Amino acid sequence: ETLPTPWDSITNVMDGGLAGGELGVLVAPAGIGKTWCLQSLAAHLVRQGKTVVHYTLELNENYVGLRYDSIFSGVTTANIKYYKEDVESKLSKLPGKLLIKYFPTKAASVQTLGSHLKQIELSGIKVDMVLVDYADILMPTGNFKEKRHAIGNIYEDLRGLAGELEVPIWTASQANRSALEEDVIGADKVSEDYSKV
């Protein structure tokens, strides 16, 4: 069973989307909108009655929530305070669930996320998809001399967690600086460790 993206062309290329146990990685240079893309993926599934857990390692929960409010309501983040009742009305009609959890940068490992997800399941909530914004700033487990090896290990652990819980996990990663001039980002433009590919 696959979970579709909000973009038909991408969903078709992926044969229906991401399945349980798979890890999807959005790759783009800094400031391009990776977090907005992750949030669009989550919003699409919440509108379909699914439960999504969004782990944020940079932006605080309130700000991430405000951005989701904007996506769901169509009201810009700057204007939400003026249309509070309309936004709340639209949010109350959503058939799915969205849980947002903040961990400080490098304070949470893949194991931390796994423990939190198991607590969610023990509370009776079935998680359909997980977002990690973003994997490169998770805390590695183990001692690595080079950053790229630590990051490679994080991605392997994240894929393992997806398999263990049988849920799709989406994350985002930086492309290197030379990718700014590219229309299509190839595997050679992925920053740090090639095992992300």
Side-chain angles (χ1 to χ4, degrees), residues 73-157:
S73 68
V75 177
T76 62
T77 53
N79 289 330
I80 282 180
K81 60 187 170 203
Y82 305 117
Y83 299 96
K84 200 172 181 180
E85 288 178 11
D86 290 346
V87 172
E88 285 176 355
S89 173
K90 287 179 181 176
L91 294 177
S92 68
K93 294 174 185 163
L94 290 168
K97 288 186 173 89
L98 173 66
L99 297 117
I100 303 167
K101 177 67 177 161
Y102 168 74
F103 288 107
T105 300
K106 300 281 187 192
S109 67
V110 173
Q111 287 74 16
T112 309
L113 305 187
S115 296
H116 187 257
L117 287 166
K118 286 173 186 161
Q119 285 180 336
I120 291 170
E121 289 190 352
L122 286 172
S123 71
I125 298 171
K126 181 192 174 291
V127 175
D128 296 299
M129 186 177 78
V130 175
L131 301 181
V132 180
D133 190 19
Y134 58 100
D136 292 34
I137 54 177
L138 281 166
M139 179 177 67
T141 52
N143 295 321
F144 298 94
K145 291 180 181 176
E146 293 188 41
K147 182 181 177 185
R148 63 190 176 94
H149 293 145
I151 288 177
N153 184 259
I154 288 168
Y155 278 81
E156 289 168 11
D157 286 350

Side-chain angles (χ1 to χ4, degrees), residues 32-108:
I32 297 294
K34 294 181 291 294
T35 299
W36 281 109
C37 281
L38 288 174
Q39 290 184 285
S40 293
L41 285 163
H44 183 65
L45 293 179
V46 170
R47 288 183 181 118
Q48 295 177 29
K50 303 292 185 188
T51 298
V52 179
V53 178
H54 181 132
Y55 291 109
T56 173
L57 305 168
E58 282 186 313
L59 306 171
N60 72 46
E61 290 169 352
N62 291 330
Y63 184 66
V64 172
L66 186 67
R67 288 170 65 159
Y68 273 113
D69 291 349
S70 181
I71 291 169
F72 287 127
S73 68
V75 177
T76 62
T77 53
N79 289 330
I80 282 180
K81 60 187 170 203
Y82 305 117
Y83 299 96
K84 200 172 181 180
E85 288 178 11
D86 290 346
V87 172
E88 285 176 355
S89 173
K90 287 179 181 176
L91 294 177
S92 68
K93 294 174 185 163
L94 290 168
K97 288 186 173 89
L98 173 66
L99 297 117
I100 303 167
K101 177 67 177 161
Y102 168 74
F103 288 107
T105 300
K106 300 281 187 192

